[in-house]
Amino acid sequence: MAFSGSLILGVSDSQIDQPFADPLFGNALAFTAALVFVVYLLIGQKIRKKRAWIDYVFPIYFFAAGTCVAIALISGRDLLDITTIGVWAGAGLAFGPQVLGHGAMNFAVKYVAPTLLSTLILVEPLLASTLAFFFFAELPPLTSMAAMLVILLGVGLTWRRKVSFGE
């Protein structure tokens, strides 16, 4: 049910007038990222059974940061030409979504099935739309809101039926 809501959201997203050149391409990238995240959680579950949280996340975050720096250097970016706002935004992203969000997922994957945790990713559009409403007064189209309700219902039913701590 949650996945079908995501498909409806993707289709409704491509139907509205947007300044983006190809919203379906963005949706395809988001879908690919979700698949990669599921694999990441499955691997994480195996590793977390034997390692403490900090011993697991520190190498992963270090590798991710190193990869970002390498990509920036390869693409010709001047790393010394970062504004103060850019540094604060990067720090906010590192400590907010990365450490709190992904860190919580990496902690929980030892205790909760990765397939169950991965359903939470489907709630991100709902949370992003809620924040966009409160911070920017943006209201998504009715079709998108209906799709988000289907997603929320599907995730809620999944968690209600399959919560399995300590696997």
Side-chain angles (χ1 to χ4, degrees), residues 52 69 81 111 126 128:
V69 169
D81 190 30
Y111 308 102
L126 174 67

Side-chain angles (χ1 to χ4, degrees), residues 62-142:
F62 183 77
F63 179 76
T67 302
C68 290
V69 169
I71 290 171
L73 291 174
I74 290 169
S75 66
R77 305 283 186 213
D78 181 9
L79 296 180
L80 298 176
D81 190 30
I82 300 174
T83 65
T84 304
I85 293 173
V87 171
W88 281 108
L93 288 169
F95 292 109
Q98 186 63 37
V99 173
L100 296 176
H102 294 156
M105 290 277 229
N106 288 320
F107 179 82
V109 78
K110 183 174 183 175
Y111 308 102
V112 179
T115 51
L116 194 56
L117 282 174
S118 64
T119 62
L120 294 178
I121 298 166
L122 298 174
V123 181
E124 285 183 359
L126 174 67
L127 295 174
S129 295
T130 302
L131 290 174
F133 175 75
F134 286 112
F135 287 118
F136 306 114
E138 291 182 10
L139 191 62
L142 287 176

Side-chain angles (χ1 to χ4, degrees), residues 28-46:
L29 289 175
F31 181 74
T32 303
L35 290 176
V36 169
F37 197 70
V38 168
V39 172
Y40 169 76
L41 285 174
L42 288 170
I43 293 169
Q45 181 187 37
K46 299 287 186 199

Side-chain angles (χ1 to χ4, degrees), residues 4-15 18 23-24 27 144 147 151:
S4 65
S6 296
L7 290 176
I8 295 168
L9 183 60
V11 170
S12 71
D13 194 30
S14 66
Q15 304 298 319
Q18 298 184 32
L24 283 178
N27 290 337
S144 297
I151 292 169

